[in-house]
Amino acid sequence: MTASVSRRAVLAGLTAAVPLVLTGCSSKKSAKAANASAARASDPGGDAFVMIVRHGEKPDGGHPGLDGNGGHDGKSLTERGWARAKALPQLFDPPAVGLRRPARIFAAADEGPLAGAHRMRQTVTPLAAKLGLTVDTAYAESQETALAGAVLAGAQPVLVSWEHSRIPRIVEALGAADNGVPTAWPDRFDLVWVLARTGGGAWTFQEVRQHLLDGDS
C-alpha cells in the first residue's frame, strides 16, 4: 500500500510539473519572438524607395587609406575609393536606370562614442554636395533598427552608405528580407541594392551595377 501510494504521489508530481515545463518553453518562444520583432523598425507604411551602397574601397596591404588631405588614415578610403566617391554623382544626377535622385542621404556615424570608420560618409559626401544635401550621420553601426525607422519616416527616395556586413540588418529592420534579397553583401564595392514598395505593399528588390570605374563588373 505504501509503495502504491508513493508511486501515485510521484506520478502526480510529474504530471503537475509538465505545465511548468511547457510554460517555460512557451516563455522562451515568446522571448525569441519579441527579440525578433524588436529588430524590426517602426513602419508608418506608404511608399518607400531605399537605395543602399557599400562604402568605397578600403585599405589593404598595397593600398593605404587616405584622408581628405592625402595623409595616411586606416579609417578612410583608398585612392580608388575616393575615385568611386567622386564618380558616384554620375549614378544619381541624372539617375541611372533603376535608381532615383535621393531626397535624403544617410551614412554611419564617424564621430562620437559609437563612431566607426570615415569611409561611409566619405563615399557619399561628393554626391551630397552635388545635390545640395547634408549627409545624416546620426546613426552608428549597430543602430540599424533606428536607422531603418528614420529611413521609413521621412521623404523618399533615400540613399544609405553603410558597412557591408551590416547591410543585411538594415534590410531586415525595413521588413524587406525574404524578397529575393541576398543574405549577405557580395565581396564587391560596385553595387547598389534597391528596395522599393508602393502603398505599404510587398517590397521588391533590384541589384544595380555601378559601372563607374575601370574594373567594375
Side-chain angles (χ1 to χ4, degrees):
M1 178 67 70
T2 302
S4 177
V5 171
S6 299
R7 283 196 294 272
R8 284 199 295 269
V10 171
L11 290 173
L14 290 174
T15 303
V18 170
L20 295 177
V21 174
L22 293 177
T23 301
C25 292
S26 177
S27 297
K28 290 179 180 178
K29 290 180 180 178
S30 297
K32 185 176 182 180
N35 291 336
S37 63
R40 179 82 171 265
S42 176
D43 187 355
D47 293 355
F49 196 93
V50 184
M51 301 167 288
I52 306 176
V53 297
R54 178 186 185 180
H55 57 73
E57 281 80 348
K58 63 182 181 179
D60 57 29
H63 304 87
L66 305 171
D67 63 22
N69 296 316
H72 285 199
D73 177 18
K75 292 187 175 182
S76 290
L77 297 169
T78 63
E79 182 177 359
R80 183 176 175 85
W82 280 108
R84 185 175 302 284
K86 292 174 182 177
L88 202 61
Q90 299 174 29
L91 274 182
F92 298 98
D93 188 33
V97 175
L99 303 179
R100 297 182 187 176
R101 179 181 173 130
R104 294 182 295 149
I105 300 176
F106 290 85
D110 60 343
E111 295 183 355
L114 298 177
H118 306 304
R119 291 184 284 272
M120 286 74 80
R121 174 183 54 79
Q122 291 170 341
T123 297
V124 290
T125 294
L127 173 62
K130 178 71 180 296
L131 300 181
L133 300 174
T134 299
V135 180
D136 189 330
T137 57
Y139 303 96
E141 296 170 53
S142 78
Q143 295 181 318
E144 284 79 18
T145 302
L147 168 70
V151 165
L152 293 172
Q156 306 294 318
V158 176
L159 176 66
V160 177
S161 175
W162 217 252
E163 200 280 324
H164 77 286
S165 68
R166 305 190 73 92
I167 289 176
R169 300 190 185 192
I170 301 175
V171 176
E172 292 172 3
L174 290 170
D178 302 323
N179 287 285
V181 187
T183 57
W185 187 278
D187 187 21
R188 297 174 58 171
F189 298 91
D190 61 344
L191 301 174
V192 184
W193 280 8
V194 181
L195 303 162
R197 74 175 184 194
T198 302
W203 288 91
T204 61
F205 169 72
Q206 181 182 10
E207 185 175 87
V208 177
R209 298 185 179 186
Q210 295 180 9
H211 296 298
L212 291 174
L213 305 179
D214 291 342
D216 281 2
S217 176

